[in-house]
Amino acid sequence: MAISQDNLQSIREEYEDHPLELSQLRSNPVEQFEYWFSQALEAEAMEPNAMVLATSKIDTPKARYVLFKGIEDGGLIFHTHYESAKAKEIKTNNAVAAVIYWREIHRQVRIEGQVEKASKEISDNYFYTRPRGGQLSAIASPQSQIIESRKVIEEKIKDLDKEYGESKINRPDNWGGYLIKPTAWEFWQGRKNRTHDRFRYENADSKWTISRLAP
């Protein structure tokens, strides 16, 4: 079916009317995020840690989903290949933005900040929790590079599986974690008639200020 304006205009979901007031917010955005995340888990939100990550060298922004895998030092952790497209963009420009959306409870969190490599300990700890297949794929895949076919990766994984046998698979140096250190957070609560509640936290002189934004 072709996409038309009529098709798109007929798609509309009315949100439940759960208000979000300043008095309900924690003074620290990390604590507020953890509280909302716990509610997303209770609501059985689908992939609640799925996060859109936007990066840009200068004028070519790119976005993709990653999975945030923890909170450390007031920031969000995700893991990837250090030679991937996103990693190269981060190396050139470490300013990033991220969005997490929980459809089931009509909530969105936006994050802006700088990103840096996570510690080796954080990267190692997460790598060793991955299934064996995920560990092998982290080594086998030259992430973001052009390949001839999927078979190239499948064969490489098979070869590595035979090579390692029952041995422990060590995390490769070119794969690991990043830490987003936020300078701003926005908490968005969907409301009826598109009169959404929005609050923005900004960091000034190591203190968080909170402002209400128009929907």
Side-chain angles (χ1 to χ4, degrees):
M1 180 179 68
I3 298 174
S4 69
Q5 285 191 351
D6 288 342
N7 291 338
L8 294 174
Q9 290 170 0
S10 66
I11 300 173
R12 180 168 293 275
E13 179 180 353
E14 188 61 82
Y15 299 142
E16 296 177 359
D17 206 32
H18 296 303
L20 179 63
E21 301 293 343
L22 178 60
S23 60
Q24 297 174 282
L25 299 173
R26 275 65 172 168
S27 59
N28 185 294
V30 176
E31 293 177 7
Q32 182 63 35
F33 177 77
E34 290 176 326
Y35 174 61
W36 269 22
F37 187 74
S38 69
Q39 292 189 313
L41 291 177
E42 290 176 7
E44 298 183 348
M46 183 176 293
E47 290 211 83
N49 62 329
M51 176 173 73
V52 176
L53 175 71
T55 58
S56 175
K57 285 186 177 179
I58 299 176
D59 57 358
T60 54
K62 296 182 176 65
R64 80 289 287 163
Y65 275 101
V66 297
L67 298 178
F68 96 81
K69 287 294 185 177
I71 295 177
E72 185 77 22
D73 193 25
L76 301 181
I77 296 288
F78 69 93
H79 298 265
T80 190
H81 199 295
Y82 286 147
E83 296 171 4
S84 64
K86 71 176 80 65
K88 291 176 181 177
E89 288 157 9
I90 287 170
K91 187 175 182 179
T92 301
N93 175 14
N94 76 332
V96 300
V99 182
I100 297 169
Y101 179 59
W102 299 303
R103 180 183 182 279
E104 293 82 356
I105 53 178
H106 308 307
R107 285 177 175 172
Q108 173 180 272
V109 180
R110 295 174 57 198
I111 302 111
E112 300 167 14
Q114 280 73 47
V115 66
E116 60 188 40
K117 281 186 178 180
S119 68
K120 289 185 177 181
E121 181 182 11
I122 288 173
S123 299
D124 284 343
N125 287 343
Y126 173 64
F127 183 79
Y128 296 126
T129 68
R130 286 168 67 99
R132 182 180 177 83
Q135 294 176 351
L136 292 173
S137 67
I139 300 171
S141 175
Q143 194 174 101
S144 302
Q145 295 183 26
I146 295 173
I147 57 175
E148 292 182 4
S149 68
R150 180 182 175 84
K151 188 176 181 181
V152 172
I153 302 300
E154 292 174 343
E155 290 298 325
K156 180 64 175 176
I157 290 174
K158 287 181 181 179
D159 291 342
L160 288 169
D161 194 23
K162 292 178 182 178
E163 178 182 335
Y164 280 98
E166 299 299 321
S167 302
K168 177 182 178 180
I169 301 172
N170 293 318
R171 178 180 64 86
D173 292 335
N174 61 359
W175 191 99
Y178 280 103
L179 171 65
I180 301 175
K181 305 193 78 171
T183 55
W185 296 73
E186 183 188 315
F187 293 84
W188 177 99
Q189 174 69 64
R191 298 289 302 275
K192 282 186 177 179
N193 301 317
R194 299 306 189 254
T195 55
H196 314 304
D197 287 324
R198 296 171 61 191
F199 287 93
R200 181 177 175 86
Y201 291 72
E202 292 185 286
N203 195 312
D205 299 324
S206 300
K207 293 182 179 179
W208 291 101
T209 60
I210 309 175
S211 304
R212 178 184 277 273
L213 305 181

